[in-house]
Amino acid sequence: MPETVGFIGLGLMGRPMAKNLLTAGYPLVVHSRSRGPVDDVVAAGAREAASPADVARQATRIITMLPDSPDVEQVLEGPQGVFSAIQRGTIIVDTSSIAPATARRLAARAQALGATMLDAPVSGGEIGAIDGTLSIMVGGDAAAFAAVTPILDVVGNPERVVLIGDAGAGQVCKLCNQMVLGGTIAAVGEAFALARKAGVDPAKVRQALLGGFAASRVLEVHGERMLKGNYTPGFRTELFAKDLRNVAAAVAEHHAPAPVSAVVQQLVNALVAQGRGRNDYAELGKIVFELAGLE
Amino acid sequence: MPETVGFIGLGLMGRPMAKNLLTAGYPLVVHSRSRGPVDDVVAAGAREAASPADVARQATRIITMLPDSPDVEQVLEGPQGVFSAIQRGTIIVDTSSIAPATARRLAARAQALGATMLDAPVSGGEIGAIDGTLSIMVGGDAAAFAAVTPILDVVGNPERVVLIGDAGAGQVCKLCNQMVLGGTIAAVGEAFALARKAGVDPAKVRQALLGGFAASRVLEVHGERMLKGNYTPGFRTELFAKDLRNVAAAVAEHHAPAPVSAVVQQLVNALVAQGRGRNDYAELGKIVFELAGLE
């Protein structure tokens, strides 16, 4: 019989991840702020816990999937938080994308309580969560990683469940991912904007570039979104803005100047300022079009 | 018997392209500033012409492969230039990477002389030139493009010899390619710099990112160069700096703001200022490492 898993945070990502664990036969104890997702996952076979602390009393494997650092802090350290009732030997797997510094601090607190916390941010979006094909970038203790690998293999693609390094390394890796995505999306948007202003068909440019060194998944996927004007998420700009805030904090903490990422962050700030935070982050290309006076 | 081809500019790229045409059976008339490459290509079967004008007298299909806009202007418009002796019906294929505005102006002059000029910049580097697998992005008249396609298919990969649009469109497409390359290389460099400063192995980050949306040829090829510290060209930074000057001119001409490309250009300017123009342009990553105080 597989071990009981606690799951806290049944949002767009968490709910399908939890359901995949149920399908795989894991007894599940869940907690989330919203009624709807809890009812849905309970109907699928999960047990409801009254609070994060209540989850911690019933499970020594706990997955969290929350929007940002303060949410994770609240769920672990707040009143009725996981830490208030955590059992020795518990492994917390935080799949949220949060600041590496917060991940390191919380891992140290877990350790002081006789438990272990892994940072395990994912990429692959809602579709990856539904299909159980997420990439998972893990930071923390290798033995704990080995212990929870069977669980992570259910929600992620086993070939892409990777231990990157010590506590925080998973979050750093996720930030690296977002930096590369942001720089590439913005550069593709700028290239398409130049093409359009110069009277050249950006679809032909995209096709030509896909055959050479400029080829990327971004040029394929986000490039096509820009050409079709399809900005239905996907991945919301407001979440990308949060990741870029964490990038800015991390590069400041570690004194790692990142001028391209800084420019990307300002363009994303503009999108959020204009009330477009709920659209797909491929709008990073569209805002460049608009800077150039294009639709 | 295939038609005679004139070839002007037997540099790192031009020499192997000319030799591939000889191998394919095209009679070749060549001109270049340096003695060595001319002797080499003549030894392989080409005929030497005394000047660009002399090439124009002997061939109605003329390929140019030169470093920059002023070189192409000199070869076409200078004393003893191609235009001084061009035959009606001649098709000039300029495979150099030059400013789109210059390409458009020269195409108009060729047309006034009863000839046609196509802009046909390539990507794929010296290896692509040697292997005859270049991507070729063509701007100009469709009938002229059809007429020279068999020739271009010898020096390029036939699947990647593409008519992008009107005169100048090939050069615009090449600039788009360089913008995407620059933004992506810089973003990868910044991500690796953050990883290194945060004590995370950038090789593991690269491996993890290659499985997701951040995957690109740049992450594969230039990312590996950065990790190995291999900056032997490849493609020289000074040529990339030239392309980015043309990007800056084009985005100014067309009022297409490109903030990420502008940052990339300044980093490349720094590399050239430091006497590193002859190294591979993957040093765009290394200079970001150095900004962060890393080797």
Side-chain angles (χ1 to χ4, degrees):
Chain A
M1 175 95 181
E3 62 218 320
T4 297
V5 175
F7 205 110
I8 302 171
L10 299 172
L12 219 60
M13 298 292 290
R15 182 182 355 189
M17 291 166 68
K19 285 185 151 182
N20 283 333
L21 287 166
L22 283 171
T23 304
Y26 284 94
L28 220 58
V29 181
V30 302
H31 180 77
S32 197
R33 277 177 305 188
S34 305
R35 195 66 250 156
V38 172
D39 289 343
D40 178 44
V41 176
V42 166
R47 211 160 62 233
E48 182 178 0
S51 65
D54 194 27
V55 171
R57 277 179 216 109
Q58 300 182 57
T60 58
R61 303 290 181 260
I62 302 173
I63 297 177
T64 48
M65 177 45 108
L66 300 157
D68 199 357
S69 308
D71 307 290
V72 176
E73 291 173 322
Q74 176 67 20
V75 156
L76 297 186
E77 304 182 299
Q80 292 299 309
V82 166
F83 285 163
S84 69
I86 198 163
Q87 304 174 55
R88 293 192 69 83
T90 293
I91 303 175
I92 303 168
V93 183
D94 180 31
T95 62
S96 322
S97 291
I98 68 170
T102 306
R104 286 195 305 271
R105 187 181 67 73
L106 292 171
R109 277 214 57 189
Q111 193 173 17
L113 296 166
T116 309
M117 177 167 163
L118 302 174
D119 49 297
V122 306
S123 79
E126 193 182 350
I127 291 169
I130 292 168
D131 297 343
T133 57
L134 296 167
S135 296
I136 311 185
M137 299 156 262
V138 185
D141 180 70
F145 173 71
V148 297
T149 293
I151 296 171
L152 295 180
D153 285 352
V154 170
V155 295
N157 173 345
E159 286 177 19
R160 297 186 190 159
V161 175
V162 183
L163 183 65
I164 302 292
D166 296 334
Q171 299 295 352
V172 168
C173 189
K174 175 68 185 274
L175 295 185
C176 290
N177 191 71
Q178 305 306 73
M179 293 169 84
V180 173
L181 280 178
T184 312
I185 294 173
V188 167
E190 291 183 6
F192 285 179
L194 171 59
R196 291 178 64 189
K197 296 283 282 191
V200 175
D201 181 359
K204 288 195 175 162
V205 169
R206 173 173 169 277
Q207 207 51 46
L209 268 52
L210 281 174
F213 275 138
S216 65
R217 289 277 285 148
V218 162
L219 187 59
E220 282 175 45
V221 176
H222 306 80
E224 189 178 34
R225 277 179 171 277
M226 290 176 210
L227 295 181
K228 293 192 171 168
N230 171 18
Y231 300 109
T232 309
F235 181 63
R236 293 202 307 275
T237 298
E238 62 197 9
L239 289 172
F240 194 53
K242 179 259 298 181
D243 289 338
L244 294 176
R245 277 198 301 276
N246 288 333
V247 166
V251 299
E253 176 192 353
H254 295 291
H255 308 298
V260 164
S261 302
V263 168
V264 170
Q265 185 181 27
Q266 299 318 315
L267 293 171
V268 171
N269 283 348
L271 283 171
V272 175
Q274 294 170 22
R276 298 156 70 173
R278 301 190 75 78
N279 295 345
D280 189 78
Y281 72 139
E283 274 210 339
L284 185 45
K286 187 165 197 292
I287 201 167
V288 175
F289 298 166
E290 291 163 2
L291 280 175
L294 296 161
E295 289 290 305
Chain B
M1 174 99 181
E3 62 219 321
T4 296
V5 174
F7 205 112
I8 301 172
L10 300 171
L12 219 61
M13 298 291 291
R15 181 177 1 185
M17 290 165 69
K19 287 185 149 183
N20 283 334
L21 286 167
L22 283 171
T23 304
Y26 283 94
L28 219 59
V29 182
V30 302
H31 180 77
S32 197
R33 277 177 305 188
S34 306
R35 194 66 253 155
V38 172
D39 290 343
D40 178 44
V41 175
V42 165
R47 212 157 64 232
E48 182 179 0
S51 65
D54 195 25
V55 171
R57 278 180 215 109
Q58 300 182 56
T60 57
R61 301 289 181 260
I62 301 174
I63 297 177
T64 48
M65 178 44 110
L66 299 158
D68 200 356
S69 308
D71 308 288
V72 177
E73 291 173 322
Q74 176 67 21
V75 155
L76 297 186
E77 304 184 297
Q80 293 299 308
V82 166
F83 285 164
S84 70
I86 197 163
Q87 304 173 56
R88 293 191 69 82
T90 294
I91 303 173
I92 303 167
V93 182
D94 181 31
T95 62
S96 323
S97 290
I98 68 171
T102 305
R104 285 195 306 270
R105 186 180 68 74
L106 292 171
R109 277 216 54 191
Q111 193 174 16
L113 296 167
T116 309
M117 177 167 163
L118 302 174
D119 48 296
V122 306
S123 79
E126 194 183 350
I127 290 169
I130 292 169
D131 296 343
T133 57
L134 295 167
S135 296
I136 311 185
M137 300 156 261
V138 186
D141 180 71
F145 174 71
V148 298
T149 294
I151 297 172
L152 295 180
D153 284 353
V154 170
V155 295
N157 174 346
E159 286 177 19
R160 295 185 192 162
V161 175
V162 183
L163 183 66
I164 302 291
D166 296 335
Q171 298 296 351
V172 169
C173 188
K174 176 67 185 274
L175 295 185
C176 290
N177 192 70
Q178 305 306 74
M179 293 168 83
V180 173
L181 280 177
T184 312
I185 294 172
V188 167
E190 290 182 7
F192 285 179
L194 170 60
R196 293 178 63 189
K197 295 285 282 192
V200 175
D201 181 358
K204 287 195 175 162
V205 169
R206 173 173 168 277
Q207 208 52 46
L209 268 52
L210 281 174
F213 275 137
S216 65
R217 289 277 284 149
V218 162
L219 188 60
E220 282 175 44
V221 175
H222 307 78
E224 190 178 35
R225 278 179 172 276
M226 291 177 210
L227 295 181
K228 292 190 171 167
N230 171 19
Y231 300 110
T232 310
F235 182 63
R236 294 203 306 277
T237 298
E238 61 196 9
L239 289 172
F240 194 53
K242 179 258 299 182
D243 290 339
L244 294 177
R245 278 198 301 276
N246 288 332
V247 166
V251 299
E253 177 192 353
H254 295 290
H255 308 299
V260 164
S261 302
V263 168
V264 170
Q265 184 181 28
Q266 300 316 317
L267 293 171
V268 170
N269 284 348
L271 283 170
V272 175
Q274 295 171 23
R276 299 157 70 172
R278 301 190 73 80
N279 295 346
D280 189 78
Y281 71 138
E283 275 210 338
L284 185 45
K286 187 165 196 293
I287 202 168
V288 174
F289 298 166
E290 291 164 1
L291 280 175
L294 297 161
E295 289 291 304

